[in-house]
Amino acid sequence: QAKHAGRNTSRFFTPELAHQLSERLDCENDLRDALEREEFEVFYQPQLMIDSDELMGLEALLRWRHPAKGLVSPAIFIPILEEVGLIDAVGEWVIRQVCRQHRAWQTKGLRPPRVAVNVSGRQFLHAGFAETVARILAEEGQPANSLELEITETVLARDTAQCIETLQALKGLGLEIALDDFGTGYSSLSYLKRFPIDTIKLDRSFVSECDTKEEDAAICAAIISLGRTLGLKTVAEGVEQEGQRDFLRKEGCLSYQGFLFSPAVPEHELMALLSERAAGSRDRGH
Ligand code: C2E
Ligand code: MG
Ligand code: MG
Ligand code: MG
């Protein structure tokens, strides 16, 4: 009976639910003005070669600095942006911002690596996405190989003509494609054969205990081995401890990102890292 009652009570409009709903509506309303008010900011997380810690890429991670609430997690506001139809506008802003940043670094004589931008499922599957990316690159005067796009398996699961067309158009432009959170969605290994993917990203949920749990170790090893066999790059996400990095290196993972090296940081904090990189390559005579 208690179970039945519990199920029923959850349908009542409780004060707690009312509070959640009003928070959510506030959030929606605030998000509508966030672009205009310049409350969004792009942070960058370094991706390193696992053998040498050489910088091989950066992942752009969106931040929303709410005037009252402070930094709001994208895990909260990205789904809302998708639902209220603002994801295209914000997604385009992120790509443009990354292009401008890339250019600014080059102008300073730095040698920025490729930057990976997360693309939401809805944004990716909207007709004209590839054309939009091409237009932004052209307007900002950036080559396509300065960008990589991260999508998830959920997008590929739709397996629509639109999806394949978009992927091929993006590949045609010269962009690289990474499969984010690999192994957590509706995974189908055949995606790796059917779609032009360059990189698979091992999800943090497998990485976080890869050096202590047999199952997670086996999953990481299998994904890395699969990636190598298929000629794909492998990036481990959320590497926090040396033990994890050691295990992944031993298994032949190509690269990693995570708190062990650095969290996502604002642009100005990255400068030192990029300067080192520029100096390093000058020393090697490039
Ligand atoms: P994701 O793309 O899988 O990004 C990885 C998340 O793990 C990021 O969270 C990152 O800050 C966090 N992370 C990195 N290293 C570590 C670590 O060592 N330990 C732990 N605990 N976490 C780590 P974040 O920045 O909160 O982003 C969450 C998700 O929001 C992202 O997951 C991505 O799906 C989405 N997102 C972020 N920026 C954008 C964007 O510009 N557009 C879209 N569509 N989605 C975005
Ligand atoms: Mg990502
Ligand atoms: Mg991920
Ligand atoms: Mg993730």
Side-chain angles (χ1 to χ4, degrees):
Q1 295 311 323
K3 199 174 170 193
H4 186 227
R7 209 183 290 155
N8 266 338
T9 43
S10 70
R11 287 206 198 109
F12 282 111
F13 200 69
T14 60
E16 194 199 339
L17 209 60
H19 178 72
Q20 278 174 16
L21 196 67
S22 88
E23 281 251 304
R24 157 80 203 228
L25 287 173
D26 282 353
C27 203
E28 257 183 56
N29 282 328
D30 292 348
L31 273 172
R32 289 181 200 282
D33 303 322
L35 254 189
E36 218 169 287
R37 292 189 188 158
E38 302 185 7
E39 291 168 1
F40 288 117
E41 206 174 313
V42 179
F43 278 30
Y44 296 89
Q45 185 175 42
Q47 302 176 321
L48 300 309
M49 296 299 290
I50 209 160
D51 286 332
S52 60
D53 267 1
E54 191 191 329
L55 186 66
M56 71 158 278
L58 296 166
E59 180 174 2
L61 291 159
L62 185 58
R63 297 291 179 258
W64 179 26
R65 206 176 284 282
H66 188 281
K69 295 178 191 144
L71 276 187
V72 183
S73 165
I76 292 177
F77 69 79
I78 295 282
I80 302 179
L81 289 175
E82 285 199 310
E83 273 174 52
V84 301
L86 289 167
I87 193 66
D88 290 338
V90 176
E92 284 177 28
W93 180 86
V94 175
I95 296 172
R96 190 178 296 279
Q97 196 61 26
V98 166
C99 285
R100 289 187 178 165
Q101 189 58 69
H102 208 273
R103 163 120 309 200
W105 282 326
Q106 289 172 52
T107 306
K108 284 183 183 155
L110 303 171
R111 304 176 63 253
R114 187 190 301 277
V115 181
V117 176
N118 291 280
V119 179
S120 91
R122 272 214 201 157
Q123 185 189 357
F124 189 86
L125 293 171
H126 276 168
F129 175 70
E131 288 81 356
T132 300
V133 174
R135 178 174 47 80
I136 297 173
L137 285 167
E139 285 169 0
E140 301 302 329
Q142 278 292 95
N145 67 8
S146 57
L147 284 189
E148 173 175 338
L149 300 179
E150 296 193 2
I151 58 173
T152 61
E153 293 155 304
T154 327
V155 173
L156 304 184
R158 307 285 284 274
D159 197 6
T160 54
Q162 179 64 49
C163 174
I164 295 165
E165 210 180 286
T166 299
L167 272 174
Q168 281 170 350
L170 292 167
K171 288 300 297 173
L173 289 171
L175 282 97
E176 293 207 355
I177 307 290
L179 258 193
D180 206 353
D181 307 340
F182 186 74
T184 61
Y186 307 93
S187 309
S188 162
L189 295 181
S190 69
Y191 295 159
L192 300 178
K193 198 174 106 181
R194 251 184 303 148
F195 298 106
I197 302 299
D198 302 284
T199 300
I200 43 186
K201 300 193 71 178
L202 271 86
D203 193 68
R204 176 160 63 88
S205 62
F206 306 127
V207 168
S208 64
E209 288 180 290
C210 68
D211 57 336
T212 51
K213 271 201 181 146
E214 229 173 278
E215 293 86 350
D216 291 331
I219 290 171
C220 286
I223 294 175
I224 293 165
S225 155
L226 184 71
R228 285 169 68 96
T229 308
L230 296 177
L232 303 172
K233 292 182 254 188
T234 45
V235 185
E237 301 189 289
V239 176
E240 296 182 354
Q241 288 156 20
E242 281 184 23
Q244 296 159 358
R245 184 180 55 191
D246 293 345
F247 171 83
L248 295 161
R249 185 193 289 128
K250 180 174 63 83
E251 293 301 325
C253 190
L254 180 73
S255 58
Y256 75 103
Q257 58 188 100
F259 296 171
L260 176 63
F261 187 83
S262 168
V265 292
E267 186 273 321
H268 62 90
E269 283 185 39
L270 255 183
M271 294 295 290
L273 205 67
L274 290 176
S275 307
E276 268 172 42
R277 179 180 152 87
S281 64
R282 269 195 301 276
D283 293 347
R284 286 194 301 274
H286 293 303

